Amino acid sequence: MVVIVLLGIVGVGQASQVRGDDGESIFRNDARQREISAGDEHTCMVQPDRTLRCWGGNQSGQLGDGTTVASPTPIAVPGLTDVIAVAAGDEHTCALRSNGTVSCWGAGFQGQIGNGSNVSTQPTPQPVFGITTAIAIATGEQHTCAVLADGTMRCWGRNTSAQLTGSTSPSSSSTPLAVPGVTGARAVTAGAHHTCALLVSGSLRCWGSNTAGGIGIGTTSTTSAPAEPLLGSTALAVAAGKFHTCAVVADGSVVCWGSNSSRQLGTTGDWSSTPVPVAGVAGASTITAGLDTTCALLQNGSVRCWGSGTLGSLGNGSGTSSSGSLRPPTTVSNLTDAVALTSGERHTCAIRATGALSCWGSNSSGQLGTGASGFSVAAVGVIGVTAIDQVRSGNQSVCAKATTGGVSCWGSNVSGLLWNGSTT
């Protein structure tokens, strides 16, 4: 669910962004890089000197320090001094290096380290076999993909849903496999068990789990190779939720496909195998996808959300869900100047034009950062953070980076995710 591109970071409200597993879109031609990434129970951040520090859970060695001991404070990943981007899967981590190589560590039982082994625990960085010209990387739950400088792609790790190449054979691979039929790739995004590449032409190629039509090609059958979703238009941005995908197309409208269990596609029915337009959304510049909620940032700075409204995740002033009969996208309350979005499982946060941060939805672990308990049905300001230029959400946690380089984290602190020296 993480995406890293050589030219990408969290959105700024223009059609040039790149997406991460925390729900924000990938765009073409962004000029910045991703420096923070959150896995299931760990977080990693690229330092100004291009070293890497990680903190949180470490049961599979995903912190990269040579141990399996959790750390509530950031610890250096030895041997890495040229990191330009980082991607965190469930229990593994990969770093994109300035020389075009990729190093991975942590859980490797599905081959997600990419070094030819299937060890359950790999606590130190290992070079991924045969990758020397990478410009982008993305991690799903247990798989990793890289875009190469020539626009082709390689993927490795778990493949039970064809998330590596579009075919389920082999069931996993501990070395990178060429992705057939993908050329001219610019960026990549990964859901739990599917992968999509955005090409320089603005077309898409997707592969992997297609049970609920998640590939967007009109069928629910596993494809034998990456296929082009039936968009009918150029894509400007793409965001993959766990089991659904949405795209901003050339005219600023949004189309979605895949699972629709909570109306996260913005239409009726339980799923759609073809992209369907989201009524009531126009002038979109970026999108973000949570577990079963989707939000679009409009060019005027407002945000519209649809899907599950459980625990206020629509931000529209009520806890009403879009499940059952269709309820159209609604506008997030108290928010008119958003420039970037990120989604966790059931919460969303927006960077505002002032550099302040506002969040809404579930607050089960304090992930709204308000100092109060209870969910919020409208956007509320995060306490004590200013001049924010990057933000990333885990399932129930948030980390934000200021223009000065400082980082603040809040929410769930399982295994010391929050970097504050405790697990409280």
Side-chain angles (χ1 to χ4, degrees):
M1 293 180 288
V2 175
V3 64
I4 304 300
V5 298
L6 179 62
L7 301 176
I9 193 60
V10 76
V12 292
Q14 59 188 17
S16 61
Q17 186 198 358
V18 185
R19 165 198 144 92
D21 87 324
D22 29 26
E24 65 267 29
S25 314
I26 57 171
F27 280 82
R28 292 172 290 157
N29 306 321
D30 195 288
R32 293 179 293 173
Q33 300 168 22
R34 170 127 184 204
E35 297 178 332
I36 301 175
S37 186
D40 188 36
E41 293 185 357
H42 74 292
T43 305
C44 292
M45 179 183 172
V46 181
Q47 305 297 296
D49 63 359
R50 294 302 169 193
T51 60
L52 189 67
R53 288 181 177 267
C54 299
W55 60 97
N58 198 26
Q59 62 271 29
S60 298
Q62 59 264 47
L63 299 188
D65 68 333
T67 77
T68 56
V69 179
S71 176
T73 57
I75 51 179
V77 180
L80 298 181
T81 59
D82 58 350
V83 179
I84 59 176
V86 60
D90 267 15
E91 294 184 13
H92 77 288
T93 311
C94 292
L96 174 60
R97 307 180 70 171
S98 61
N99 62 2
T101 63
V102 175
S103 294
C104 298
W105 58 96
F109 57 95
Q110 293 286 350
Q112 57 265 56
I113 305 304
N115 68 340
S117 71
N118 292 86
V119 295
S120 58
T121 301
Q122 176 51 255
T124 57
Q126 302 294 310
V128 175
F129 179 79
I131 301 294
T132 59
T133 62
I135 63 169
I137 54 174
T139 51
E141 283 187 352
Q142 295 171 355
H143 77 287
T144 307
C145 292
V147 177
L148 306 186
D150 63 0
T152 62
M153 291 187 59
R154 302 289 187 273
C155 296
W156 58 96
R158 186 176 183 178
N159 194 40
T160 53
S161 297
Q163 58 265 54
L164 299 189
T165 64
S167 169
T168 55
S169 180
S171 60
S172 66
S173 178
S174 61
T175 57
L177 301 177
V179 181
V182 174
T183 58
R186 175 76 171 183
V188 58
T189 183
H193 306 296
H194 73 289
T195 312
C196 289
L198 178 57
L199 310 187
V200 293
S201 64
S203 63
L204 298 177
R205 296 294 184 273
C206 295
W207 59 97
S209 177
N210 199 27
T211 303
I215 305 305
I217 56 175
T219 74
T220 57
S221 301
T222 299
T223 63
S224 59
E228 183 175 2
L230 303 173
L231 289 183
S233 181
T234 299
L236 299 180
V238 186
K242 191 164 187 177
F243 300 115
H244 77 289
T245 306
C246 293
V248 177
V249 293
D251 64 359
S253 62
V254 174
V255 295
C256 298
W257 61 96
S259 174
N260 196 35
S261 57
S262 296
R263 303 301 178 256
Q264 61 265 46
L265 304 188
T267 187
T268 55
D270 293 332
W271 53 273
S272 177
S273 62
T274 58
V276 292
V278 179
V281 177
S285 61
T286 182
I287 46 179
T288 181
L291 176 64
D292 47 18
T293 303
T294 312
C295 294
L297 170 60
L298 307 189
Q299 293 170 5
N300 64 7
S302 64
V303 175
R304 291 176 71 76
C305 298
W306 58 97
S308 173
T310 302
L311 300 176
S313 54
L314 297 182
N316 63 353
S318 78
T320 302
S321 176
S322 294
S323 299
S325 60
L326 175 66
R327 295 182 177 88
T330 54
T331 300
V332 175
S333 302
N334 302 336
L335 187 61
T336 59
D337 61 346
V339 297
L341 297 176
T342 182
S343 288
E345 195 170 69
R346 294 194 184 278
H347 73 283
T348 301
C349 294
I351 298 177
R352 309 185 72 149
T354 60
L357 198 64
S358 291
C359 301
W360 60 94
S362 174
N363 197 32
S364 56
S365 297
Q367 59 264 48
L368 299 189
T370 62
S373 59
F375 63 89
S376 177
V377 297
V380 289
V382 176
I383 295 172
V385 294
T386 58
I388 298 302
D389 71 348
Q390 298 181 38
V391 63
R392 292 287 180 269
S393 290
N395 283 344
Q396 298 176 34
S397 63
V398 183
C399 286
K401 176 179 173 290
T403 55
T404 58
V407 175
S408 298
C409 298
W410 57 96
S412 173
N413 203 24
V414 175
S415 302
L417 273 170
L418 302 188
W419 189 356
N420 65 349
S422 76
T423 55
T424 302

